[in-house]
């Protein structure tokens, strides 16, 4: 399929895609803040520059977009055009994410990944359930946890 946009239009569209302060991230931040949980944003001194950092709990949260991080759910579809470029880009992001989690774990940080499909889309989870699970993770002793939409996994939660 041929791209319907000119290279200049495509470049403009792509330049407007944000890496931080995304809608899913803001939704989660608002909910956690309303529950009295305080955090730091995008600490560059930590590997992977986590979206939310909870020093008090020695925990970090990544809010990943399903497309940009190659999540296997209904929100991800590899583009038909320039497949080699997109494979390298998206699976490179996923590899970088795995390395970041390994490094953070070795530095004794606990890591929670919240996937976009948990927050929106046809299999999204109820926000109160997500916020309760995040609170439980922060105050608990789990090392790594992932939250996914219900169409990704049976329960929506996976852990190591």
């Amino acid at each position: 399929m041929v791209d319907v946009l000119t290279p200049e239009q495509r470049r403009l569209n792509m330049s407007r895609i944000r890496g931080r302060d995304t809608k899913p991230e803001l939704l989660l931040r608002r909910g956690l803040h309303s529950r009295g949980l305080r955090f730091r944003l995008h600490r560059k001194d930590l590997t992977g520059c986590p979206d939310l950092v909870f020093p008090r709990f020695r925990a970090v949260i990544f809010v990943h977009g399903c497309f940009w991080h190659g999540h296997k759910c209904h929100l991800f579809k590899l583009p038909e055009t320039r497949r080699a470029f997109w494979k390298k880009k998206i699976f490179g992001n996923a590899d970088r994410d795995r390395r970041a989690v390994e490094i953070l774990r070795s530095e004794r940080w606990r890591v929670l990944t919240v996937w976009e499909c948990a927050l929106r889309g046809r299999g999204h989870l109820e926000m109160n359930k997500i916020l309760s699970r995040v609170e439980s993770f922060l105050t608990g002793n789990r090392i790594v946890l992932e939250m996914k939409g219900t169409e990704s996994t049976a329960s929506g939660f996976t852990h190591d």
Side-chain angles (χ1 to χ4, degrees), residues 45-95:
D45 61 320
L46 293 176
T47 304
C49 192
D51 298 309
L52 305 171
V53 180
F54 297 82
R56 176 179 165 206
F57 300 109
R58 192 111 178 121
V60 300
I61 297 178
F62 289 100
V63 182
H64 284 333
C66 295
F67 173 77
W68 293 104
H69 296 267
H71 189 232
K72 292 180 175 126
C73 72
H74 72 282
L75 296 177
F76 174 72
K77 182 178 184 279
L78 196 61
E80 295 294 323
T81 58
R82 300 181 62 209
R83 285 182 84 78
F85 167 81
W86 285 111
K87 271 186 177 180
K88 182 179 176 188
K89 171 76 175 156
I90 292 168
F91 298 130
N93 289 346
D95 287 340

Side-chain angles (χ1 to χ4, degrees), residues 2-145:
V2 177
D3 196 353
V4 295
L5 300 176
T6 67
E8 292 78 23
Q9 291 171 321
R10 176 67 57 208
R11 191 173 299 112
L12 180 64
N13 284 356
M14 296 304 285
S15 73
R16 291 183 176 162
I17 296 172
R18 294 180 286 202
R20 60 174 55 184
D21 300 331
T22 60
K23 286 182 185 180
E25 183 184 329
L26 292 174
L27 188 64
L28 186 63
R29 282 171 26 189
R30 273 189 223 108
L32 294 173
H33 194 271
S34 72
R35 288 187 173 215
L37 293 165
R38 300 300 181 252
F39 43 83
R40 298 283 170 236
L41 298 175
H42 312 290
R43 276 193 37 193
K44 292 181 182 177
D45 61 320
L46 293 176
T47 304
C49 192
D51 298 309
L52 305 171
V53 180
F54 297 82
R56 176 179 165 206
F57 300 109
R58 192 111 178 121
V60 300
I61 297 178
F62 289 100
V63 182
H64 284 333
C66 295
F67 173 77
W68 293 104
H69 296 267
H71 189 232
K72 292 180 175 126
C73 72
H74 72 282
L75 296 177
F76 174 72
K77 182 178 184 279
L78 196 61
E80 295 294 323
T81 58
R82 300 181 62 209
R83 285 182 84 78
F85 167 81
W86 285 111
K87 271 186 177 180
K88 182 179 176 188
K89 171 76 175 156
I90 292 168
F91 298 130
N93 289 346
D95 287 340
R96 188 184 65 232
D97 296 338
R98 277 189 287 281
R99 286 192 309 272
V101 169
E102 286 174 15
I103 292 169
L104 287 166
R105 285 182 65 185
S106 72
E107 295 172 350
R108 305 188 127 205
W109 284 93
R110 297 178 315 115
V111 181
L112 169 61
T113 302
V114 179
W115 289 96
E116 177 185 14
C117 59
L119 297 165
R120 68 174 205 88
R122 63 180 180 246
H124 74 277
L125 305 174
E126 183 183 322
M127 184 51 88
N128 278 333
K129 188 174 186 177
I130 292 170
L131 296 173
S132 295
R133 190 66 175 180
V134 171
E135 260 187 291
S136 167
F137 172 78
L138 292 172
T139 58
N141 57 8
R142 282 230 166 101
I143 306 289
V144 174
L145 180 68

